Amino acid sequence: MIKGLSKLEVITLFAEDLAATKAFYTDVFGLEVVYENEDSAVIKFDNLMLNVLTVANAPELVTPTAVAGADTGPRALFTLEVADANAVCAELERHGVALLNGPIDRPWGRRTAAFADPAGHVWEIAEVLHD
């Protein structure tokens, strides 16, 4: 085990349209931008930051690996725990966010629904179901 790898601080997402993706997180999630320039916007969650970076600037972070295109399909899923999945789904729809699926009661004890940001990153909300 390598010590010191237990605190997730920032997730960086690559986006073709920085303005639309930033607006998604500020308008739909109600989050604050704590830093931005012409190439990125850093958005603060309670427990971590999300760095939305233009695709043009992404290669320097992942070289020699190529940056995947938005049309290649999801490669990650980010899950947010919520108290009421149905209520959050209704609020997402009021903000013009189309659900990919759900709400669905899952066999692992969660009621989930998935949606994507304008850059194609997939998010899931999950309500803990009680017996």
Side-chain angles (χ1 to χ4, degrees), residues 75-100:
R75 296 185 48 161
L77 174 72
F78 304 100
T79 302
L80 302 167
E81 183 179 320
V82 299
D84 183 340
N86 291 340
V88 173
C89 286
E91 188 66 24
L92 286 167
E93 290 174 346
R94 278 193 288 280
H95 279 86
V97 178
L99 296 177
L100 299 173

Side-chain angles (χ1 to χ4, degrees), residues 83-126:
D84 183 340
N86 291 340
V88 173
C89 286
E91 188 66 24
L92 286 167
E93 290 174 346
R94 278 193 288 280
H95 279 86
V97 178
L99 296 177
L100 299 173
N101 62 53
I104 302 166
D105 290 346
R106 303 292 188 171
W108 51 88
R110 301 288 185 269
R111 182 165 178 75
T112 71
F115 58 96
D117 74 8
H121 303 108
V122 180
W123 287 84
E124 172 186 69
I125 57 155

Side-chain angles (χ1 to χ4, degrees), residues 53-83:
L53 181 68
T54 60
V55 170
N57 288 284
E60 70 182 275
L61 297 180
V62 298
T63 296
T65 302
V67 175
D71 61 346
T72 61
R75 296 185 48 161
L77 174 72
F78 304 100
T79 302
L80 302 167
E81 183 179 320
V82 299

